[in-house]
Amino acid sequence: MDNIPSVDLADFISGDPDRKKKFVNEIGRAYEEIGFVSLKNHFLSDDLVENLYKEVKSFFALPVKTKEQYEIEGLGGQRGYVSFGKEHAKGKKEGDLKEFWHFGQEASEDANLPEAYPDNVVVSELPNFNATGMEAYRMLEKTGIYVLRALAIYIGLDEHYFDHWATNGNSILRPIHYPPITEEPKGAVRAGAHGDINLITLLMGASTGGLQVLRKDGEWIDAIPEEDELVINVGDMLERHTNNKLRSTIHRVVNPPRDQWGTARYSIPFFMHPRSDMKLDCLDECIDEQHPKAYDDITAGEFLHQRLVEIGLIKK
């Protein structure tokens, strides 16, 4: 396998049982084998994607002093701006060569959540920035819920098992700017090798290159989707919940060749988190004699806090 498999969400929502089953089997097998797919026919329109990139590039082009006004202390980077080099991969000291922004969940009034989410940070210099970001957030959330429905069927659960936990979940939309590289990086890369924390990640912008995925045999392969496809991968929460049936694969964003150091890179991942009170206990459907229970019981909120400490966004 030299590239990640491609799947078509239109198969799942077609109303044709055979096409739906085909999608379920294709994405399920891919997530057992490599943990990544590229997905076509998601719910993001071309106009929305174009507008979002326009707003994101405008924000990161603002003066550093202006951007720093939106870096909110005490939130562990969960809303607003996170400045260059502040986050690092688990187990690494070198900060990643990136700056980013976080849009978070704006829960419905009837969500009945165990905690209140922080408010989103409003960028006064860009009147369309927040509205465009949250419109993309909703379309990615909708896409992610359909992917989780397919995975629920594949595992042997009710199709709508994840709906309650993912709707009003603690998901994050993260526009990332990897600035041009101006000097030899000292051990740092644009994003160090890591697994994602959450249930699944939906990524815009991987087609610009740099994303690599670690195969089972230890070889790194480039993840190169078509221009209009999202890259979607399993996160650590889902791997844990499925007792390692679905794989959270290590991935990274490598620095470009030296002759391309002057080129900035933008990508926009949507980290799909459940509500914090979701239990990530290993599912009975994924435990047998060959696959004994691999993890202690934990909630999504507890697991998230542990990992934010490990990657440097929350200080002990």
Side-chain angles (χ1 to χ4, degrees), residues 56 58 61 66 147 150:
V56 164
S58 295
T66 303
V147 169

Side-chain angles (χ1 to χ4, degrees), residues 171-229:
S171 299
I172 291 287
L173 179 62
R174 174 190 279 191
I176 304 173
H177 173 221
Y178 303 96
I181 298 171
T182 57
E183 60 183 359
E184 186 74 41
K186 295 179 174 62
V189 294
R190 284 182 158 175
H194 65 284
D196 291 342
I197 299 170
N198 39 289
L199 290 173
I200 57 174
T201 300
L202 298 86
L203 176 65
M204 305 166 58
S207 55
T208 55
L211 177 64
Q212 294 186 331
V213 176
L214 188 62
R215 274 191 330 214
K216 281 182 177 179
D217 62 2
E219 291 293 318
W220 289 97
I221 63 169
D222 293 320
I224 307 175
E226 296 297 325
E227 193 71 34
D228 60 345
E229 293 180 335

